[in-house]
Amino acid sequence: MAVLPIKLTKTNRDKLAQVLWVLNWISVVTGIILFSLGIFLKVEINKRQDLMAESQLQSVPNMLIAVGLIACVINFLGGKICYDCVDTNKFLRWKLVMLPYIICTFFFTLSVLVGALMCYSMHGQLEEALTLGLRDAMRYYKDTDTPGRCFLKRTVDQLQIQFQCCGNKGYRDWFQIQWVSNRYLDMSQREVVDRLRSNYQITNNSAYFNYDYQTEELNLWMRGCRQALLDYYTNIMHSVGLTVLIIWLFELSVLTGVRYLQTSLENVLRQGDPESESDGWLLENSFVETARSNFNIIKHLGKFNQINISSNGDPNIDKPPTAHYGPDNVPPKPLPMAS
């Protein structure tokens, strides 16, 4: 029994083909949107790459860029096919192409869904990359004279100013490292050592004269930069993921329409009357029967390959040799025995 069958008249088929032609061109635009989202996400990640550890974060924007390019090609071809399907005679040119096209479009649509899910699932990976990256950036904060690290101080300072954050988990992270270059310090002087140690006593009221940290307006941002960046990128990922999910639903609807158009036109060819009403469906048989049929096809292919391997690819290996005796195929007479 067919899955979700519908009946389409000649007028309905023509209207469906025209609507799908328009939707495929809209899908080309959605492909450009996917490509643009991938580029935007890639730029945002590269913008603060110095503050992130090496990870697979680039896999998400690369996936969106690839899917966007494929969407433009597939939907451009789909628009051409649907435009020609208005004429039954022109459909004959695409009859053998449509089923492989639908299969490729199905896997493409599945990849769009995977891209959307990847946007929602990279929170943990992003948090780990930021934790390790900010830790190393703070560790090398003082190395303003070291090649490759001389810009880290400015990067971290701009980050803390822009996002109003401090440290990795919080401002106390700066107390665990030496963030002033040795070039500006004379560790032999007790005053310098005492000032460095006083950083640990911000919440100690007795360490300073007439001081109460709970009432003073301290110029410290309590939120850590890891959490600030994590919230920033999470909002971006969720927005991109929602957009990709909407595009996936749109592409799925276009794929469904193309499948109905293809099956209804093939049934018209079987009936032999282009003006007649025809059935369209998603699957000719039920899901279980379709899965069983595909499994049997794969099974028979496997047996065929095993026979070819066992016979070393020679189809005549089990056949007895046949002698050929010339054009008349008459065996020669035996020679007389010598006396």
Side-chain angles (χ1 to χ4, degrees):
M1 181 178 179
V3 178
L4 299 178
I6 60 173
K7 288 188 176 294
L8 295 173
T9 62
K10 168 65 173 173
T11 303
N12 292 336
R13 289 194 300 269
D14 292 345
K15 288 183 179 180
L16 178 60
Q18 292 170 357
V19 170
L20 289 174
W21 174 71
V22 176
L23 292 181
N24 271 283
W25 279 107
I26 296 176
S27 296
V28 173
V29 177
T30 61
I32 297 174
I33 293 175
L34 286 174
F35 178 80
S36 302
L37 288 175
I39 294 294
F40 167 74
L41 195 55
K42 195 176 189 68
V43 170
E44 285 295 323
I45 292 176
N46 289 337
K47 191 185 299 183
R48 296 178 178 86
Q49 191 173 10
D50 294 336
L51 304 174
M52 300 180 185
E54 293 291 335
S55 63
Q56 300 297 325
L57 295 178
Q58 295 289 349
S59 60
V60 177
N62 291 339
M63 177 76 169
L64 295 178
I65 291 172
V67 168
L69 292 175
I70 295 173
C72 294
V73 176
I74 285 183
N75 291 300
F76 178 81
L77 177 61
K80 174 61 176 174
I81 292 175
C82 293
Y83 181 81
D84 287 344
C85 284
V86 176
D87 187 351
T88 307
N89 294 325
K90 291 184 178 180
F91 169 72
L92 293 174
R93 297 185 302 181
W94 299 103
K95 183 177 182 297
L96 298 178
V97 179
M98 283 199 71
L99 184 58
Y101 168 78
I102 289 175
I103 294 174
C104 293
T105 306
F106 171 78
F107 285 105
F108 154 72
T109 307
L110 185 63
S111 66
V112 176
L113 177 61
V114 171
L117 296 178
M118 288 175 65
C119 292
Y120 287 99
S121 62
M122 66 178 300
H123 182 274
Q125 191 177 8
L126 179 62
E127 183 175 9
E128 181 181 2
L130 288 172
T131 300
L132 299 178
L134 286 170
R135 182 198 64 185
D136 293 339
M138 292 174 61
R139 180 186 302 172
Y140 304 132
Y141 180 86
K142 67 180 186 301
D143 299 339
T144 54
D145 298 329
T146 304
R149 302 175 184 172
C150 53
F151 296 105
L152 274 178
K153 182 180 184 301
R154 185 179 66 180
T155 302
V156 174
D157 289 342
Q158 290 178 345
L159 170 68
Q160 294 184 132
I161 294 172
Q162 179 180 354
F163 288 89
Q164 296 185 355
C165 58
C166 190
N168 191 342
K169 297 180 180 179
Y171 67 89
R172 293 180 181 274
D173 293 335
W174 289 110
F175 302 160
Q176 312 299 324
I177 61 173
Q178 178 187 336
W179 51 272
V180 181
S181 176
N182 292 331
R183 186 173 57 171
Y184 304 107
L185 295 177
D186 184 2
M187 301 301 293
S188 63
Q189 297 183 11
R190 181 176 179 81
E191 181 181 359
V192 173
V193 177
D194 290 342
R195 289 197 175 190
L196 290 175
R197 289 177 179 174
S198 67
N199 288 331
Y200 292 85
Q201 304 183 39
I202 289 179
T203 59
N204 184 6
N205 293 333
S206 62
Y208 305 95
F209 175 74
N210 194 20
Y211 174 73
D212 186 356
Y213 79 95
Q214 293 181 338
T215 59
E216 296 287 341
E217 294 183 1
L218 303 179
N219 57 344
L220 289 175
W221 287 305
M222 307 303 292
R223 185 173 63 162
C225 290
R226 181 193 63 183
Q227 188 61 44
L229 283 177
L230 188 62
D231 293 342
Y232 174 75
Y233 281 109
T234 299
N235 291 333
I236 291 178
M237 290 295 180
H238 287 177
S239 300
V240 172
L242 179 61
T243 305
V244 177
L245 197 59
I246 294 173
I247 292 176
W248 170 72
L249 292 174
F250 180 77
E251 294 287 349
L252 188 62
S253 64
V254 175
L255 174 62
T256 303
V258 173
R259 175 59 175 169
Y260 276 120
L261 181 64
Q262 178 238 344
T263 53
S264 63
L265 287 174
E266 287 187 350
N267 287 328
V268 166
L269 294 179
R270 292 191 186 101
Q271 296 171 6
D273 184 6
E275 303 296 328
S276 64
E277 185 180 64
S278 63
D279 293 328
W281 52 66
L282 292 182
L283 293 175
E284 187 173 2
N285 300 312
S286 65
F287 291 103
V288 177
E289 293 176 355
T290 303
R292 186 185 296 116
S293 176
N294 293 332
F295 177 76
N296 290 333
I297 292 174
I298 296 174
K299 186 177 180 180
H300 285 110
L301 287 176
K303 289 183 178 179
F304 180 74
N305 290 333
Q306 290 178 359
I307 293 174
N308 285 342
I309 293 174
S310 62
S311 61
N312 294 324
D314 188 359
N316 300 318
I317 192 169
D318 296 327
K319 294 182 180 180
T322 302
H324 296 278
Y325 301 105
D328 297 331
N329 198 21
V330 177
K333 296 181 178 179
L335 297 174
M337 297 294 292
S339 55

